[in-house]
Amino acid sequence: MKFRYAKYIYIAFVAVLAIVIASCSTKNNTSQTRWWHAFHAKYNTYYNGAQAYIDASLEKENGNKDNFTELIPLYTVGNKTSRELGKSNFERAIEKAEKAIARHSIKKKPEWNKSRRKTEKDIEWLSRREYNPFLWKAWMLMGRSQFHKGAFEEAATTFAYMSRLYRTQPAIYGKARAWLAKSYIEAGWLYDAEDVIRNMQRDSIDWRAVREWDYTFADYYIHTGELEKAVPYLRRVIKQEMRRKQKAREWYLMGQIQAALGNKDAAYNAFQHVIRSNPPYELEFNARVAATEVMAAGQAKQMVSRLKRMVASDKNKEYLDQVYYAMGNIYLTNKDTTNAIAAYEQGNKKSTRSGIEKGVLLLRLGDLYWAKEKFSDARRCYNEALGLLDKDRKDYEQLSERAKVLDELTPHTEAVHLQDSLQYLAKCPETERFAGADDTYCIEALMQDGKALQAGTSHFLGQNFAKAFEVKYATKEGALEYVWASSWGVFTRLMGALIMSHSDDNGLVLPPLLAPIQVVIVPIYKGEEQLQAIRQKVTPLMQALKERNITVKFDDDDTQKPGFKFHEYELKGVPVRLAVGQRDLENNTYEVARRDTLTKESVSGETIVSHIEKLLKDIQENIYQRALAYRDSHITEVNSYEQFKEVLESKGGFLSAHWDGTPETEAKIKEETQATIRCIPLDQKEEAGTCIYSGKPSKGRVLFAKAY
């Protein structure tokens, strides 16, 4: 009897449960269905996903390996060696978030009692695209998991969709846009990130999303190199950070930024914060080393002594390359190249590991040997560094090319240097000199690093070659005479000098008069209709520019995003870039960016042609005057050998000094300083003086410099 009653109760329970579940279908939208789906999304699928996310985050945090030889990333996912950490748990979190969204998303609009007038809040409510009040957290979990997994494109897609889904809810929308920008930043799409940031600033940020935006702004300005702007946001990030290890990393990053800005006290205080926070030993060790480097100016001896004590500690046996590297940097800061090289060599010798740190040390050591023209030693350091450094480093390609050059040319470098010197010509007998040259002229250019480059040479050959080879011409009178000749060598070296003089870290900066493309137009559009409208707008502009002999390109390639194109043309050095979007069509404007200053402005379509004409002239003049001012400010008159050596190491450039005219003096100066006589100026003033080296009489000044 009891069994029969229990059976009936069970059947009734199942029936009631079925009715409840049916009434709570995602096809309905009532307070009950919203509560039920929010509850189940939170405590069923989402909970397990959140736990997996926490486990993955801890795995990544504990296993993270920073490269302390450069700015560490704000997010550990920025380290390639750490990117795979926690991957399986992040994927589990993504899976659970997707499941929660698939099962518990409520898209149906709620029924509205038409007898009641709608308020603004009601309108916002009815215009939503998702009615499960908890589900935004599942979206956020999925996007953050994709981000920390290193799948930045997937994360960007998720947050972009989330932005559209929660457009009417400022707090959620603000957080989604912050993470969208972060995804673009970490993917390297800085122009796309800039667009998100600019639009978000215009829309204003909800106070509940400010914390996420502090992280975003800090990350963006660090990636763009605008370190001063990054500092206040990074301070807020540190203040808000709850994880002890991550907070210590952020303090270390703050120290690096302050050091790069020259704020030594602020940098030192930041590194002290790291030390006091009891972080993992490697982070603490690097903070101590960095603190000594920061305070080296004026306290070099004390800081070197502190580093020597660190060398003696058994705890630091694995990090000796870093200790000696820091020691060498302090010596170098104080212009003690000899001890710097000795410290770097000790670091190389005593290093027990073969990692990035040792690679950076060898690179620095190789550069010093290269500057001293000790090419066999430079070759040794570069070849070993190549196997230790990340191929994605900005200077890796240059290092590789330099190593290849040294492999081929090291056996002949001494001969090459002798041939490039006035000493060689002076020592040669008359029969071995450049027999055909009556006069030799050169163009000496000054590069951004203060070294000289012989950009062009010309030999006036007179009739010497003609007489040697019986080359004659017929005069008007019919007589035969030997031809007059000259030789020039300019093009390749002159173009190299041009590139080296004007370019920056973002790529080429081409003078408009030499640029193959002077203006590029990049459309920003959605769909073929907008593209056609932009094409119609720019066609008359392109025609007008061509009539003025201005070369222009319209880049409508649909395989690349506008952000990629901006970066590409910046890299190629195109002087002027125009961007045209829907708003520009509506307002009859163009966004005009100039390559030399990296500035942008909005220009009316009515004045765009004349504006571009003037802008190209301004750019041409600006980069010329900038290079000219740099050269003129780096021509220094020196009157003693001590002053000569001091200016050569601290300032570089051309040194105008008296020379006694003997090859022996030039040879001694070159041996001791690696500086050579680059040229005797055509407008040389005759003035009595004494040679800076020998003290013998001199008739005028010549230009010395270190050279390529």
Side-chain angles (χ1 to χ4, degrees):
M1 193 70 175
K2 288 183 179 179
F3 176 77
R4 275 198 308 181
Y5 280 125
K7 182 179 178 182
Y8 292 140
I9 292 170
Y10 175 76
I11 292 170
F13 174 76
V14 170
V16 170
L17 183 63
I19 293 168
V20 170
I21 292 172
S23 65
C24 291
S25 168
T26 56
K27 295 180 180 180
N28 297 323
N29 186 356
T30 64
S31 59
Q32 292 85 1
T33 60
R34 292 192 294 271
W35 180 90
W36 192 90
H37 283 288
F39 180 86
H40 277 265
K42 183 176 182 179
Y43 293 106
N44 189 359
T45 48
Y46 177 84
Y47 176 81
N48 295 323
Q51 288 300 309
Y53 177 84
I54 293 169
D55 292 341
S57 299
L58 288 172
E59 183 183 346
K60 187 176 284 290
E61 185 176 279
N62 294 328
N64 175 59
K65 174 76 174 169
D66 282 306
N67 175 13
F68 296 100
T69 64
E70 55 190 36
L71 279 182
I72 65 172
L74 180 60
Y75 292 100
T76 54
V77 73
N79 292 318
K80 289 186 177 180
T81 55
S82 307
R83 194 159 290 175
E84 293 295 313
L85 294 172
K87 184 178 179 180
S88 60
N89 275 316
F90 281 130
E91 287 175 348
R92 178 172 170 78
I94 294 167
E95 180 190 343
K96 293 295 180 181
E98 288 174 338
K99 192 174 179 180
I101 293 166
R103 288 186 175 182
H104 301 291
S105 175
I106 301 174
K107 300 290 187 184
K108 180 178 170 58
K109 293 188 179 296
E111 294 183 5
W112 178 254
N113 185 358
K114 295 182 180 179
S115 62
R116 188 165 69 85
R117 186 177 177 184
K118 293 178 183 174
T119 64
E120 286 189 13
K121 193 173 181 180
D122 295 329
I123 295 170
E124 186 277 321
W125 167 254
L126 292 169
S127 63
R128 290 184 182 182
R129 298 175 64 182
E130 175 58 63
Y131 289 93
N132 185 330
F134 181 81
L135 212 59
W136 72 271
K137 292 189 177 182
W139 281 106
M140 186 63 71
L141 176 66
M142 181 165 68
R144 290 173 65 181
S145 298
Q146 291 165 335
F147 177 89
H148 289 294
K149 177 189 153 187
F152 303 122
E153 292 185 35
E154 294 177 18
T157 302
T158 297
F159 290 120
Y161 180 77
M162 191 178 171
S163 302
R164 295 193 296 273
L165 195 62
Y166 293 98
R167 181 76 189 186
T168 62
Q169 295 170 263
I172 302 172
Y173 174 76
K175 292 178 181 180
R177 299 299 284 180
W179 279 96
L180 175 61
K182 282 188 272 195
S183 301
Y184 286 149
I185 293 165
E186 296 298 330
W189 302 346
L190 296 181
Y191 288 108
D192 298 278
E194 184 186 353
D195 286 341
V196 175
I197 291 169
R198 186 168 55 241
N199 292 332
M200 200 63 199
Q201 288 175 325
R202 204 162 46 229
D203 295 342
S204 74
I205 299 169
D206 187 273
W207 64 271
R208 289 161 291 187
V210 167
R211 181 178 182 275
E212 293 295 353
W213 276 100
D214 286 339
Y215 278 83
T216 301
F217 282 125
D219 201 29
Y220 175 74
Y221 289 128
I222 290 168
H223 275 79
T224 57
E226 300 172 272
L227 300 182
E228 284 190 14
K229 292 182 180 179
V231 169
Y233 291 106
L234 186 55
R235 289 194 188 281
R236 296 178 199 172
V237 166
I238 293 170
K239 189 176 180 181
Q240 297 162 3
E241 187 61 65
M242 301 298 293
R243 296 167 296 165
R244 181 178 59 84
K245 290 181 182 177
Q246 179 61 11
K247 181 171 258 188
R249 288 185 71 256
E250 289 160 359
W251 271 119
Y252 188 91
L253 177 58
M254 175 66 82
Q256 289 181 305
I257 291 173
Q258 295 287 12
L261 292 171
N263 304 328
K264 296 177 182 178
D265 290 337
Y268 183 82
N269 289 333
F271 291 132
Q272 289 301 309
H273 271 288
V274 178
I275 297 165
R276 289 195 297 269
S277 64
N278 192 29
Y281 184 71
E282 186 176 22
L283 182 55
E284 180 187 343
F285 165 81
N286 279 279
R288 293 186 184 278
V289 170
T292 61
E293 288 191 75
V294 165
M295 300 306 293
Q299 302 182 47
K301 288 184 179 179
Q302 298 95 312
M303 295 301 109
V304 168
S305 297
R306 186 180 294 183
L307 289 169
K308 286 181 178 177
R309 289 195 296 273
M310 292 178 73
V311 168
S313 174
D314 288 338
K315 288 177 72 177
N316 301 326
K317 284 184 178 179
E318 293 183 13
Y319 307 108
L320 291 182
D321 47 2
Q322 288 177 259
V323 181
Y324 281 110
Y325 178 69
M327 205 180 297
N329 291 346
I330 292 173
Y331 284 128
L332 209 57
T333 302
N334 289 273
K335 300 181 178 67
D336 189 350
T337 308
T338 303
N339 277 321
I341 290 174
Y344 294 145
E345 285 288 13
Q346 281 288 91
N348 180 33
K349 181 181 177 182
K350 295 189 176 184
S351 175
T352 59
R353 54 183 182 167
S354 296
I356 292 174
E357 295 81 5
K358 185 178 179 179
V360 171
L361 181 149
L362 286 165
L363 178 59
R364 178 67 64 87
L365 183 58
D367 288 342
L368 287 178
Y369 281 134
W370 176 279
K372 285 183 166 293
E373 299 183 9
K374 295 183 177 181
F375 295 120
S376 59
D377 288 318
R379 177 190 180 191
R380 164 176 61 86
C381 295
Y382 287 150
N383 284 337
E384 193 174 348
L386 279 171
L388 301 173
L389 296 174
D390 192 334
K391 292 182 179 180
D392 290 339
R393 284 177 63 96
K394 290 182 179 179
D395 56 357
Y396 187 88
E397 188 174 347
Q398 180 189 357
L399 170 62
S400 181
E401 286 300 316
R402 189 174 282 188
K404 288 178 184 177
V405 170
L406 288 176
D407 285 341
E408 294 180 14
L409 298 183
T410 295
H412 312 289
T413 52
E414 289 302 317
V416 171
H417 282 302
L418 283 172
Q419 289 173 14
D420 191 45
S421 173
L422 294 179
Q423 175 196 356
Y424 176 78
L425 293 175
K427 285 184 176 180
C428 283
E430 290 295 326
T431 55
E432 292 183 22
R433 292 192 188 187
F434 196 87
D438 289 345
D439 294 294
T440 297
Y441 302 90
C442 67
I443 303 170
E444 287 289 330
L446 189 63
M447 302 296 98
Q448 295 180 8
D449 61 356
K451 286 186 177 181
L453 174 69
Q454 194 174 85
T457 55
S458 176
H459 302 284
F460 175 60
L461 307 176
Q463 293 179 311
N464 297 318
F465 268 77
K467 290 176 181 178
F469 296 99
E470 288 293 318
V471 181
K472 297 181 179 180
Y473 73 101
T475 66
K476 290 180 180 180
E477 293 77 21
L480 293 176
E481 290 189 9
Y482 290 107
V483 301
W484 297 82
S486 63
S487 74
W488 290 84
V490 288
F491 184 75
T492 303
R493 285 177 289 173
L494 198 59
M495 293 306 295
L498 174 72
I499 292 167
M500 294 174 70
S501 298
H502 300 305
S503 298
D504 55 28
D505 291 341
N506 297 315
L508 299 180
V509 181
L510 294 179
L513 293 177
L514 293 179
I517 302 172
Q518 296 171 305
V519 180
V520 64
I521 304 174
V522 179
I524 303 171
Y525 62 94
K526 292 181 180 178
E528 185 63 26
E529 187 178 341
Q530 284 190 12
L531 176 60
Q532 287 300 327
I534 294 171
R535 187 177 283 113
Q536 288 178 8
K537 177 181 174 67
V538 303
T539 298
L541 169 62
M542 293 173 66
Q543 186 61 37
L545 293 175
K546 289 175 182 178
E547 289 172 359
R548 290 162 173 77
N549 295 318
I550 296 171
T551 56
V552 59
K553 176 182 178 181
F554 180 60
D555 191 346
D556 58 353
D557 181 5
D558 60 0
T559 62
Q560 301 293 348
K561 292 185 175 182
F564 178 89
K565 294 177 183 178
F566 292 168
H567 177 73
E568 180 186 24
Y569 291 114
E570 193 174 283
L571 188 68
K572 291 180 177 179
V574 176
V576 177
R577 186 189 74 234
L578 305 185
V580 189
Q582 184 61 31
R583 278 179 294 178
D584 296 304
L585 288 176
E586 295 168 356
N587 300 327
N588 190 27
T589 58
Y590 294 87
E591 183 186 84
V592 182
R594 54 188 291 178
R595 178 62 183 86
D596 60 331
T597 61
L598 298 175
T599 56
K600 293 185 288 189
E601 59 183 324
S602 182
V603 179
S604 170
E606 297 172 358
T607 61
I608 188 65
V609 176
S610 59
H611 181 84
I612 291 173
E613 278 191 299
K614 184 178 181 300
L615 187 60
L616 289 171
K617 292 177 182 177
D618 288 347
I619 294 171
Q620 182 77 27
E621 182 66 18
N622 180 51
I623 64 175
Y624 169 72
Q625 291 296 339
R626 190 164 58 189
L628 181 64
Y630 180 83
R631 188 204 67 181
D632 291 346
S633 65
H634 285 76
I635 301 176
T636 309
E637 285 194 4
V638 295
N639 297 301
S640 70
Y641 194 49
E642 289 303 317
Q643 186 188 7
F644 179 93
K645 290 190 289 185
E646 194 277 326
V647 173
L648 190 67
E649 291 299 323
S650 61
K651 182 180 180 181
F654 291 121
L655 279 67
S656 180
H658 281 280
W659 171 53
D660 61 17
T662 66
E664 291 80 14
T665 295
E666 189 197 1
K668 286 290 185 182
I669 293 174
K670 180 184 177 182
E671 181 184 343
E672 294 178 13
T673 67
Q674 287 78 53
T676 57
I677 297 173
R678 303 312 304 166
C679 67
I680 301 171
L682 291 173
D683 58 352
Q684 182 194 38
K685 292 188 297 183
E686 286 195 17
E687 59 176 33
T690 56
C691 176
I692 57 167
Y693 189 87
S694 66
K696 296 177 182 178
S698 166
K699 295 182 180 180
R701 296 177 183 271
V702 298
L703 295 179
F704 288 85
K706 289 185 178 181
Y708 286 95

